[in-house]
Each structure stands twice: as structure tokens, then as C-alpha cells.
Amino acid sequence: MSVATDLGWFARHEIRLAWREFIAMMAGRRGRKRAAIVGLIAFAAILHLPAYAVIGRFADLQMPLDKPSLIVMTATIALSWALMLSQAIESVTRVFYARADLDLIMSSPVRLANVFSIRIAAIALMVTGMALLFATPFVDVLVIGGGVRWLAAFGVVIAIGLSAAALAIAATLILFRLIGPGRTRLVAQILAAVVGAGFVIALQVAAILSYGTLSRFAVLTSDAAAAYAPDLDSLLWWPARAALGDSEALLLLLSGSLTLLGVVMAVFSPRFADTAVNVAASSNSARQGLRTRAFRNGSRQLALRRKEFVLLKRDPWLLSQSLMQLLYLVPPALLLWRSFSDSSAATVLITPVIVMAAGQLAGGLAWLTISGEDAADLIATAPMSPSSVTRAKIEVVLIAVAVIFAPLVAALAFASPLQAAVTAAGVMIATVSATAIQLWFRVQARRSHFRRRQTSSRLATFAEAFSSIGWAATAALALAIPVAALVSGAITAAIMAATWKISPKRE
Amino acid sequence: MQPFEAALALRGLTKRFDRPAVDALDLTIHVGEFYALLGPNGAGKTTTLRMVVGLLRPDAGSVCVLGIDALKDPVAAKQVMAWVSDEPMIYDKLTPLEYLEFVAGLWGIDSRRAEATAPELLVSLGLEPHMNERCEGFSKGMRQKVALAGALVHEPRLIILDEPLTGLDALSARHVKGLLQERVRAGCTVIMTTHILEVAERMADRIGVIAAGRLIAEGTLAELRRQNGSNDTSLEEMFIALVDAEAAAA
């Protein structure tokens, strides 16, 4: 087999794997591919509405732009890039730790550097493809409103997708070299979370510290930002200029990204194999647990709760997902701290953020404890009634959420006892709702399937999201327009009732 | 002196999926017996055992474990039973010792007693060097041994194992067999399904052969040979003859 044939075959294999992984993420089970594609197209079509609301008014933008507009556009592109980088780091980590085909590839008589070049390209393609998918409604809105020149924005998406993938691969492989495969998984997951959330949070923190608001635009459109920004001919504005149809900037951006990816492929492909070997070796090598300590007494429920807490603590995927959610709590916490001395109306914004985060976190934790049971037979054959098992697992979710959110609510109580009471109620209701949804739609799954938990039941995923959003809105309205809160609360309760009604019936 | 003669008594046990998986099965296994349940793939062995341990609800019939009606009082029945499946289900992020501590806690075993028993079990299964390592890098055989240690740590009186020797190397299999025989000598009852007929031949006090959800032969090896009319027939030959005859009759 020639090298070209080798590469062609492997490229097809990688694209097929990436496609099936994507479909599995969207559809969950076999035989639902068509439904997944239709759903995706419907989702993309619906996304045009929020896209129009968010950026429809910018469709008329033309070069030359003033500095504040350039800053806003560049920051938006930088935010997209950070999210892609986060996604790419996650993808690279998954290729190393979760793919089962590395042994097969490495024992095959093909040149590994070539094969891994293709794999790197496939990661870049996957990240860019996802970015294009989500960017399409936004670019469409700009093209419809401002003309075909905005099609250049697709080029910018491709360029930042390629560069994000290249940087992610380089960063992950460097991490392997620096801290070893054992720690890289955890650090890469944390890095992905921090990179993904970091940019938005940094802007919000700057907005809070400077203007006492959560609005990122307050910083981006400020005189101070304009004063610090470089001149209009700076390289920094190339992505914005390229998106506006400047073909020279676009070509330079694309060629720069492709060059970066090429360099990463040339430098890191030969090392990919070593890295994969190290990962395989580390997964087989001894991973020490806690130091040996005395067995602890306690009830059966306590034993179950302890086990759940240990597993939650040792779950790197959960850690990164939860870290992202918790990082988003930093700005409201900071706003709260800044607002102790006055009764700023801005602090009202804290309540929905906290309630929403609690609902989302509770949903993830509830899935892990209730559905993600790796030793389901053991638990089912233990001398405990199913209800006491479920109760112990629910207690774990409630305790974990309480430990995380109680300090925030307590701090809020110093600023506004009423708001603290409303927030606490919102957190409790959102947590109980998310947990109940996971309970109604529970399935038996491996914990390692956490990333794909939404595929267990689309309905549960949407219900969980609507419930969190609904309770967050209700809590905010309870502070601002109490009558409206009654309506919002009733709608959310109706969503919960409908979800329960259509959930699978059990014995 | 045991108050019950039967460690397990099944009467008219029935389970249907798209066809009858277990068909009005009657089975009695005595206390202190090592019982091997044999049968071709899909015969209903695993379904039967999963109903006994409470993982499946029967459509009809009764399950009595050491005098306890397992359908009416499953918690009490589970307290005296242990189940090991062919697919060891353990927690990757726990060490074997942590796993055994958890299992002992679930069965409400005194922590000091479990703390003394757990390392002994792991040592006897050859897992001593790995006691404090997380199970995530363990081979299937090692995981099977951890699961088995989990089944034994709460000192069950009835141990039910579904293909426990799958994936074990010769030395590990010997460890497991030795441990099970030791438990039987101590008065425990062991019910095991296996496709390794030599194991059943050498270890079991009595052998039951199940096909199409029904018990088609049962007895000691000598009794089965007598039923077959030949004293030097191997279990393998008898098993094949029985299953073939059942298939022909169906």
C-alpha cells in the first residue's frame, strides 16, 4: 500500500469516526441518525432568531470602523476562539484517553507520523466544523442584512478554528512532556474549562471592578479601552477586518492558521506515538488511592453517600464541567462583594445566575449519582430497599449543592436578607427540580458516559434546561416584579408537571 | 446444626421475555452444597440466578433463600446472599480496599471485622500488591477477583456466581476455586454457573443441567452417570447428550 493510499484510508476512517461520534452525541442510539440531522437543521434554523436579535443590528457595519466597534468585534472573535480552544483541548484529551483504537493503530505496519498527522488534521477539522455549524446562523443574518461581503466571516471562523486546534494540540502534548500523562488529563480538563470561561469572566470582572456592572460591553465600549487599544492599522484588528470582507487580511489570517497547523503537525506528529504509549502505560500503572486508613462505621446509606462523594471527587470530567459552571459564579460573587456597601440594583442579577448554576450543577450530579452507577448489580443486590438507595443518592446531590452555594447565599444575606431568602428558595427548587428530572428519566449507564448524558433523553435535557432557566427567571422576577414571578413560576411548574407526565413509567 | 435444609428453593419459577426464558423451574439446593448449574447458551441459567438475587422480577413462582421468602422480603434475603456476575462491576476510581470497605458498609458489617477480613481476602486472591491502587488499570481477571472479594467480605451464607472463572488465568482460577471450596467447608452454599465442565466435574457436590428454562437432569456426578447408563462417561459427553436429546425432543 502506498503512503498516499495509507493516508487516504486513514483520513476516511478518522472522518467516519468523528462523524459517528458527533451523531452519537446528538442522537444517542443507533437508528436515530436521520432524526439527529433533522433536529440539527431545525436547531440551526431556530438559532437564526437569537442570532438576529444579537447581531442583526451590526449587519451594516463597514470599514473603516471606529475603535469601540473594532474592539467589540475583536473581543467577540476572541471569545469564539477561546471557546474553540477549550473544545479542542477537550477533543485532544479524549483522543488520547478515551479512544480504544490506539493499540490497533500503533501495532499496524503504517508510518505512525503520517497516521498521527491525519489524526491531528481530523481534530482540527472537527473543531472547525463544529464552529462553522454554530457560526452559520450568525453569518447568515449578517449576509442577509449586510450583503455577501459578510461571507468572509466563514473564512475567519475557519482560520480561528484551525489555529485553536493547532494550539490545543501543541499545549496538550507539551503538558504531557512537562507533567506526565497521569496529571495531564486533569490539568487539560481544567485548562479547557478555564480557557472556555476565562475570557468572558475576565471581561465581567473588569466591568464589575470598573463600572459596578456585569455588562461586558461597558468595558469594551469604554473610553479607557479605546485609549489602551492599538492603532487602527494594528495586526490585532485583522480578524475583524477579515470578517468585514477585507480579502487581504482574510488570506493572511487563513495562511497564518494553516502554517501554524502545518508546523504543529510536523513537530508533534512524530511525538504523538510516544505520548500515546505513555498514556497507555500510565493507565495500566499503579494509581495510588488515598493512604490506607481504618474502615469507617456507619449506616448503609452513609456508606453509599461516602462512596458517591469519593467518586465525584475523583472524576476529572465532572471536575472540568463543574469548574466551568462554578467559574461563572465568580463575577456575581465579585459583584456581591463590591456591592456590600450600597444597595445597588445590579446585585439583583446575582440571584438568577446562582439559581441557574445550581440547577445545572444539580442536574449533572444527579445524573452521575442516579444513572451513572458503575456497579448497578452490586447496589441492586445489596440489602437495601431501592427507595433508601435513591434517597442516599439524592442526599449526595443536595449536600454537594448546599456546600457550594451556601457560602454565596450567606454572603448575600449580609447585603440583602430578602434577596438571600429568595435566592436560597430558588436554589432549592432548581436543585430539586433538576434532580427529580434525572430521577424520572434515569437509565443505567457508565459514569464515563457523563459527557453524553444528554443523549440518554433529549426530553430530560431540555426539561432540565427549561426548569433551570424558568426558576432563575422566577427568582429574579420575585425580587423585581413579584406578580410576574407568579406567572413565571406557574409556567415552570407546568413544565415540570408535563415532564413528569411524559416520563417513562416504572414499577 | 442449620435450621434450614434448603439454602435455595425455587418453585414454579417462571420468566418470559419474547419466549419463556425460565419455565416453571423447581430447584432445591441444600445448605453447605457446592452446586454447579450447567446449560447451553440461552438456557436460562443467568435469568434464573438474576431472579434469585433480586435483579429480575419473576412472572410467577417463588424464591426461598435460607427460609426467607425473597420476593416478600428481598432485603432480608439479600443480607445473606452474594452475587458475582461474569462482567465484574466495580468502581474504577476506588482501590480494592476502598471497594471492600464500601461493600462491607452496604451490608452493614462491623467495620473492625471487615477491616480484618478485607486484606486477608485480597491476599488470598493474589491482590496484595494492588490493594491501594485504583482499579482503573486492572485487567479483567483482577477486576473479577476484586468483585469476588467484595462478594465474600460480608460473609454471605449463599454465594451465587455466574461464570466466575471467565478471564482468569490458571493461577487466579486456582485461587478462586480454593477460596470457594474453603467457604463450602465452612458451611456456606455455593451456586455456580460455568461452561468449564471440568470445574463442575471436580468441584461440585451436585450438578444441575438446564435447557430451555427447564431442569433436564440433576444429581451427583455418579448419579448422572448412572442415569446415563455408563460409569466412565465424562461430564462433557453426558452434557452434550442431554442437551442434544432435549433439542431433538423440542
Side-chain angles (χ1 to χ4, degrees):
Chain A
M1 202 185 276
S2 71
V3 171
T5 321
D6 274 353
L7 295 182
W9 158 80
F10 195 69
R12 279 197 303 278
H13 168 74
E14 283 294 306
I15 290 167
R16 187 168 55 213
L17 275 185
W19 172 247
R20 288 188 181 170
E21 218 166 78
F22 175 70
I23 289 295
M25 279 279 274
M26 305 306 293
R29 291 201 305 265
R30 279 181 177 191
R32 290 169 60 184
K33 192 165 108 180
R34 189 177 292 173
I37 294 170
V38 170
L40 206 62
I41 293 169
F43 177 69
I46 292 166
L47 207 60
H48 280 75
L49 290 174
Y52 179 77
V54 173
I55 58 165
R57 62 205 143 117
F58 299 118
D60 291 333
L61 282 180
Q62 301 263 6
M63 283 301 281
L65 288 181
D66 56 353
K67 262 193 186 176
S69 302
L70 271 176
I71 293 171
V72 170
M73 265 192 87
T74 305
T76 307
I77 294 169
L79 169 65
S80 312
W81 186 80
L83 291 174
M84 283 187 220
L85 182 60
S86 167
Q87 167 71 23
I89 292 172
E90 221 264 335
S91 298
V92 178
T93 320
R94 204 166 57 243
V95 164
F96 280 123
Y97 290 100
R99 279 268 180 94
D101 62 354
L102 284 173
D103 280 0
L104 175 69
I105 290 168
M106 287 168 59
S107 61
S108 68
V110 291
R111 215 174 140 236
L112 292 178
N114 288 343
V115 165
F116 287 127
S117 292
I118 296 287
R119 182 152 274 185
I120 288 174
I123 294 170
L125 194 69
M126 206 163 62
V127 172
T128 310
M130 284 291 283
L132 279 172
L133 188 77
F134 285 103
T136 298
F138 293 88
V139 180
D140 277 357
V141 165
L142 292 172
V143 170
I144 292 164
V148 289
R149 67 195 169 87
W150 279 109
L151 285 174
F154 281 122
V156 176
V157 174
I158 292 170
I160 62 174
L162 294 178
S163 62
L167 204 68
I169 290 159
T172 312
L173 291 175
I174 288 168
L175 273 178
F176 275 103
R177 299 276 154 188
L178 292 179
I179 59 173
R183 288 194 205 122
T184 293
R185 174 159 48 173
L186 183 63
V187 172
Q189 292 291 308
I190 293 171
L191 190 66
V194 171
V195 166
F199 187 73
V200 175
I201 291 166
L203 281 178
Q204 282 186 332
V205 167
I208 292 162
L209 294 177
S210 311
Y211 305 98
T213 167
L214 276 169
S215 169
R216 296 181 290 278
F217 282 94
V219 174
L220 296 174
T221 55
S222 67
D223 292 340
Y228 280 111
D231 292 336
L232 294 176
D233 56 354
S234 165
L235 285 175
L236 185 69
W237 312 124
W238 276 16
R241 281 172 48 197
L244 283 162
D246 182 334
S247 52
E248 189 188 347
L250 179 61
L251 279 174
L252 285 168
L253 212 58
L254 278 169
S255 52
S257 300
L258 279 169
T259 308
L260 183 63
L261 184 65
V263 169
V264 166
M265 282 163 83
V267 172
F268 291 100
S269 293
R271 297 169 192 203
F272 220 85
D274 295 345
T275 309
V277 169
N278 286 339
V279 171
S282 91
S283 69
N284 287 327
S285 68
R287 182 82 196 275
Q288 295 294 317
L290 296 172
R291 61 183 172 75
T292 310
R293 46 146 184 74
F295 280 21
R296 290 163 295 186
N297 259 328
S299 66
R300 294 175 163 116
Q301 282 84 353
L302 183 60
L304 201 51
R305 285 200 300 269
R306 273 195 207 123
K307 182 270 288 184
E308 293 296 345
F309 280 124
V310 170
L311 294 183
L312 290 178
K313 205 173 73 182
R314 294 181 185 175
D315 195 326
W317 307 102
L318 171 72
L319 195 71
S320 67
Q321 295 244 347
S322 305
L323 186 68
M324 181 102 88
Q325 286 166 343
L326 296 179
L327 282 175
Y328 281 114
L329 288 175
V330 171
L334 189 63
L335 183 62
L336 177 63
W337 174 68
R338 288 265 304 172
S339 308
F340 266 149
S341 53
D342 55 44
S343 55
S344 164
T347 56
V348 173
L349 286 172
I350 295 165
T351 293
V353 175
I354 292 177
V355 172
M356 175 97 176
Q360 291 293 301
L361 184 66
L365 291 174
W367 187 90
L368 273 171
T369 54
I370 295 166
S371 291
E373 174 56 68
D374 283 348
D377 276 10
L378 175 77
I379 302 299
T381 55
M384 291 174 78
S385 64
S387 61
S388 55
V389 170
T390 307
R391 202 163 52 239
K393 291 186 168 229
I394 290 173
E395 282 164 7
V396 169
V397 179
L398 300 183
I399 292 169
V401 171
V403 165
I404 291 164
F405 290 94
L408 275 174
V409 174
L412 196 55
F414 285 103
S416 164
L418 174 68
Q419 191 181 347
V422 170
T423 309
V427 165
M428 277 190 274
I429 296 169
T431 302
V432 169
S433 300
T435 308
I437 291 167
Q438 288 303 328
L439 198 59
W440 298 334
F441 288 87
R442 66 184 179 273
V443 288
Q444 192 183 314
R446 304 271 309 163
R447 292 179 85 86
S448 52
H449 295 167
F450 179 59
R451 275 186 64 251
R452 294 180 176 179
R453 75 181 176 96
Q454 80 279 5
T455 61
S456 304
S457 167
R458 290 263 159 254
L459 201 64
T461 306
F462 283 120
E464 196 186 302
F466 284 132
S467 140
S468 294
I469 293 167
W471 294 127
T474 305
L477 288 170
L479 294 166
I481 318 163
V483 179
L486 288 175
V487 178
S488 167
I491 292 170
T492 315
I495 289 172
M496 289 299 295
T499 307
W500 172 74
K501 188 74 185 157
I502 52 183
S503 66
K505 295 288 168 273
R506 293 168 204 282
E507 286 177 23
Chain B
M1 190 75 180
Q2 295 285 348
F4 322 103
E5 275 197 2
L8 179 68
L10 308 180
R11 296 291 171 263
L13 194 69
T14 304
K15 184 73 188 177
R16 279 189 69 90
F17 295 112
D18 47 343
R19 60 182 176 78
V22 178
D23 193 2
L25 181 68
D26 289 338
L27 183 68
T28 304
I29 295 166
H30 305 295
V31 168
E33 223 179 9
F34 195 124
Y35 191 94
L37 190 60
L38 311 180
N41 291 331
K45 305 182 296 289
T46 302
T47 305
T48 302
L49 298 185
R50 288 178 74 84
M51 284 192 281
V52 171
V53 296
L55 291 172
L56 270 179
R57 198 159 179 82
D59 295 335
S62 67
V63 178
C64 190
V65 176
L66 291 156
I68 304 162
D69 185 333
L71 300 181
K72 279 193 183 146
D73 192 355
V75 172
K78 286 172 181 178
Q79 184 67 52
V80 294
M81 272 193 291
W83 161 252
V84 180
S85 75
D86 60 336
E87 274 299 322
M89 293 175 108
I90 57 173
Y91 300 100
D92 286 349
K93 301 286 177 193
L94 295 187
T95 69
L97 267 181
E98 288 171 336
Y99 177 75
L100 296 191
E101 181 189 9
F102 168 59
V103 176
L106 272 188
W107 261 261
I109 304 297
D110 176 68
S111 63
R112 277 165 300 182
R113 209 168 91 212
E115 195 175 358
T117 315
E120 282 172 20
L121 273 171
L122 294 173
V123 169
S124 67
L125 286 164
L127 286 171
E128 188 179 11
H130 310 287
M131 270 188 209
N132 289 306
E133 291 169 14
R134 291 190 195 169
C135 299
E136 54 199 345
F138 283 12
S139 67
K140 189 182 174 193
M142 289 163 78
R143 299 167 76 85
Q144 185 71 356
K145 287 194 274 187
V146 174
L148 184 68
L152 300 178
V153 77
H154 55 87
E155 297 166 7
R157 291 164 62 198
L158 173 60
I159 306 170
I160 301 176
L161 308 105
D162 190 16
E163 297 287 349
L165 304 178
T166 309
L168 292 187
D169 60 52
L171 186 64
S172 302
R174 174 176 276 196
H175 280 147
V176 171
K177 287 185 277 186
L179 208 57
L180 292 175
Q181 282 176 320
E182 196 181 287
R183 291 292 162 135
V184 171
R185 280 195 294 274
C188 185
T189 309
V190 172
I191 304 171
M192 182 171 96
T193 69
T194 182
H195 287 296
I196 311 170
L197 300 184
E198 192 199 349
V199 171
E201 199 167 2
R202 291 177 61 176
M203 293 178 69
D205 298 315
R206 280 199 309 147
I207 296 163
V209 181
I210 189 169
R214 293 193 306 273
L215 196 65
I216 56 171
E218 190 185 42
T220 62
L221 191 58
E223 285 167 352
L224 288 176
R225 278 181 176 145
R226 271 202 298 280
Q227 286 168 27
N228 196 52
S230 167
N231 281 339
D232 55 355
T233 317
S234 71
L235 179 60
E236 186 181 9
E237 286 166 330
M238 284 188 288
F239 174 78
I240 292 169
L242 280 165
V243 172
D244 281 351
E246 182 65 19

